[in-house]
Amino acid sequence: MIAVKGLEGQKVMILGLGRSGLSAARALRAGGAEALCWDDNAQARERAEAEGFACVDPLSRDGFEGVARLIVSPGIPHLYPTPNRVVAAAWRAGVPVDNDIGLFFQSFGGSDWDGFDTMPRVVAVTGSNGKSTTSALIHHILDQAGREAQLAGNIGRGVLDIDPPGDGGVVVLELSSYQTDLARSLTPDVAVFTNLSPDHLDRHGGMGGYFAAKRRLFAEGGPDRCVIGVDEDEGRYLANQLAEAAGDDRVISVSVEEKLTGPGWHVFSRKGFLSEYRKGRQVASIDLRGMPGLPGAHNHQNACSAFAACRALGLGPREIEKGFQSFAGLPHRSQLVGERGGVRFVNDSKATNVDAAAKALQAFDKIRWICGGLEKDGGLGGLLPYLGTVSKAYVIGREAANFAMQLGGIEVEVCGDMASAVALAAAEAEAGDVVLLAPAAASFDQYDSFEKRGEHFMAEVAKLL
């Protein structure tokens, strides 16, 4: 556990008692603060009380009396579409609002580091798509190279639940826009921006607010090295803002769409080959085509980002390549579930938006595509250029008919539920086909999470295999 520093003897209110909320309460108590907890869910409050925490309604009279800070869980809106009532009350009371990420960076480090030969470092990864795979890949590479590494944040453990790092230890954090938007302290040593596509727009008041939340990690965090995906205008803008000159190697540019060979530090992938260029000269190359855990161009982008971050940490290209070779991938992200009669079944339930689904469709040929769910803002127009690999679409979800109407130019069958879609796709598939779950939509119309949706797909495939 990372005990929270700087709030000793003070009262701190915790709003939201899920994984991050309870973790923050424990870390605050370990650091000598008094954690006051609240959640609208009575069972969540009971769990907190069972651990000895006092539950106090912050909206009660004098609820914020003597409170030094309000810690808000990431699922609770603090500004858009409307501020949570407790957050608004904290503003009126003059109580600073923060989250567990802010507490982590505020508390990371201590006098025990004085005896270390190499200071522990933090790598923070954000972006719209690929940040989970990129974070897990960085952690895996470090682990395979014999480096002490921990994975936390939006993946793995809560940031305050990790162990204090040892000499030369590295903490790899996946950070969502919900987390970067509110944290009062953001000071990673290496920060990674994978890419940007429309997502969570209601939560951030539009695309500008969404990008601004991501940008805080770099503009306010002051990392020593920045790894920036430059295949969108926002990434190019960010790289330009962070670099002092064209040859500033504190910024490592990453691309899967173009060759980057100018002055500075670049990592890019073309036709399945990763290349590293520094000062206009190639210094490393890796063939990604045979990496089983990294199929498709979108995973090659993840590989480039992870490669750049690990190079910034001092690892050599061959060490990184070994990590690529042994990386098995993450569940629900281009996950090969099984094969029958030359037909492969792939679970990419994490493809919850149009951009992620488009990348999945580009990773395979001859696709039997299972899609649909709770449609996000912007419609499905961004998918239309990538439907050439789709033999047929099998649409699920409560609004399957409306979803199907937007998929012009391909054969579509409205199935409604996962079991029907998997059974029909498998029955119609031929050798060489891929039955791909890449929903291009959120899961919440039929499932509690994308993980539950992916697990249902895998269970239906298991019946066939």
Side-chain angles (χ1 to χ4, degrees):
M1 176 185 294
I2 303 294
V4 173
K5 299 174 183 176
L7 292 167
E8 297 86 348
Q10 300 186 61
K11 293 181 180 179
V12 178
M13 181 72 71
I14 309 292
L15 178 62
L17 298 174
R19 183 187 72 161
S20 66
L22 272 177
S23 172
R26 298 183 192 112
L28 283 159
R29 182 165 60 186
E34 180 183 356
L36 307 176
C37 298
W38 186 255
D39 193 298
D40 290 339
N41 185 295
Q43 291 183 331
R45 296 198 300 271
E46 289 173 2
R47 288 193 294 269
E49 288 171 341
E51 293 193 33
F53 294 109
C55 287
V56 177
D57 185 350
L59 296 178
S60 62
R61 184 176 180 179
D62 301 326
F64 278 108
E65 184 68 31
V67 171
R69 197 174 300 185
L70 173 66
I71 305 301
V72 180
S73 293
I76 297 173
H78 56 271
L79 186 56
Y80 300 112
T82 57
N84 180 275
R85 291 189 305 154
V86 176
V87 173
W91 294 344
R92 290 192 295 270
V95 174
V97 180
D98 202 350
N99 62 13
D100 63 326
I101 305 300
L103 293 180
F104 168 81
F105 280 111
Q106 171 183 319
S107 308
F108 190 67
S111 58
D112 55 321
W113 289 15
D114 293 344
F116 290 171
D117 292 326
T118 304
M119 291 296 103
R121 285 179 285 182
V122 176
V123 179
V125 181
T126 195
S128 295
N129 299 307
K131 58 184 179 292
S132 294
T133 297
T134 300
S135 301
L137 183 54
I138 294 169
H139 175 261
H140 176 78
I141 293 166
L142 290 166
D143 183 66
Q144 293 298 297
R147 308 291 180 94
E148 179 195 317
Q150 299 181 76
L151 181 63
N154 208 40
I155 186 175
R157 304 161 71 183
V159 291
L160 295 168
D161 284 333
I162 67 169
D163 301 320
D167 194 337
V170 179
V171 177
V172 184
L173 302 181
E174 179 199 337
L175 298 181
S176 72
S177 58
Y178 293 3
Q179 294 169 311
T180 58
D181 197 18
L182 193 57
R184 298 177 72 88
S185 179
L186 285 167
T187 53
D189 298 280
V190 179
V192 180
F193 177 85
T194 59
N195 50 57
L196 197 79
S197 61
D199 208 357
H200 309 305
L201 300 189
D202 58 335
R203 177 66 181 264
H204 296 292
M207 196 67 178
Y210 179 48
F211 176 54
K214 302 287 190 185
R215 183 177 178 272
R216 288 191 75 243
L217 182 64
F218 304 85
E220 300 188 24
D224 296 331
R225 279 257 159 69
C226 300
V227 177
I228 309 292
V230 296
D231 288 335
E232 295 92 26
D233 284 341
E234 291 85 356
R236 288 186 280 270
Y237 166 83
L238 184 57
N240 182 269
Q241 287 277 300
L242 295 169
E244 293 295 330
D248 189 347
D249 67 0
R250 293 175 302 172
V251 177
I252 308 175
S253 299
V254 168
S255 177
V256 291
E257 294 184 359
E258 59 180 320
K259 185 177 181 179
L260 306 174
T261 59
W265 196 349
H266 311 289
V267 179
F268 62 90
S269 173
R270 297 188 72 195
K271 299 181 180 180
F273 285 87
L274 179 153
S275 296
E276 177 187 8
Y277 273 70
R278 298 191 72 170
K279 299 179 180 179
R281 299 179 60 186
Q282 184 172 355
V283 296
S285 177
I286 297 176
D287 185 352
L288 300 173
R289 295 172 299 172
M291 306 295 181
L294 297 167
H298 60 305
N299 274 309
H300 292 175
Q301 183 183 55
N302 299 333
C304 287
S305 296
F307 178 94
C310 289
R311 290 288 280 145
L313 292 171
L315 274 70
R318 299 286 76 83
E319 287 182 293
I320 299 170
E321 184 175 7
K322 288 180 181 178
F324 285 169
Q325 291 169 341
S326 58
F327 183 65
L330 290 178
H332 315 298
R333 297 158 176 88
S334 296
Q335 177 187 11
L336 179 61
V337 177
E339 185 173 341
R340 185 187 72 170
V343 177
R344 289 178 291 163
F345 296 83
V346 175
N347 167 25
D348 203 337
S349 184
K350 185 62 171 66
T352 58
N353 59 42
V354 165
D355 187 66
K359 287 180 168 62
L361 294 178
Q362 295 174 73
F364 306 99
D365 299 318
K366 296 182 63 180
I367 296 171
R368 301 279 173 174
W369 179 32
I370 298 175
C371 57
L374 189 62
E375 188 178 333
K376 294 189 174 181
D377 292 342
L380 305 178
L383 279 172
L384 300 183
Y386 306 102
L387 300 182
T389 58
V390 177
S391 302
K392 184 175 178 179
Y394 306 80
V395 186
I396 64 174
R398 293 179 185 172
E399 300 178 356
N402 180 62
F403 197 99
M405 288 176 61
Q406 300 180 62
L407 301 176
I410 61 171
E411 185 179 355
V412 179
E413 182 113 10
V414 174
C415 298
D417 63 86
M418 184 70 74
S420 301
V422 172
L424 184 59
E428 296 181 346
E430 302 173 348
D433 285 356
V434 172
V435 176
L436 171 68
L437 172 65
S443 60
F444 303 120
D445 59 334
Q446 293 181 313
Y447 302 94
D448 291 338
S449 64
F450 74 83
E451 291 96 341
K452 293 295 184 184
R453 178 172 58 191
E455 289 165 5
H456 189 191
F457 172 77
M458 294 169 66
E460 294 300 323
V461 171
K463 294 177 184 177
L464 299 172
L465 300 182

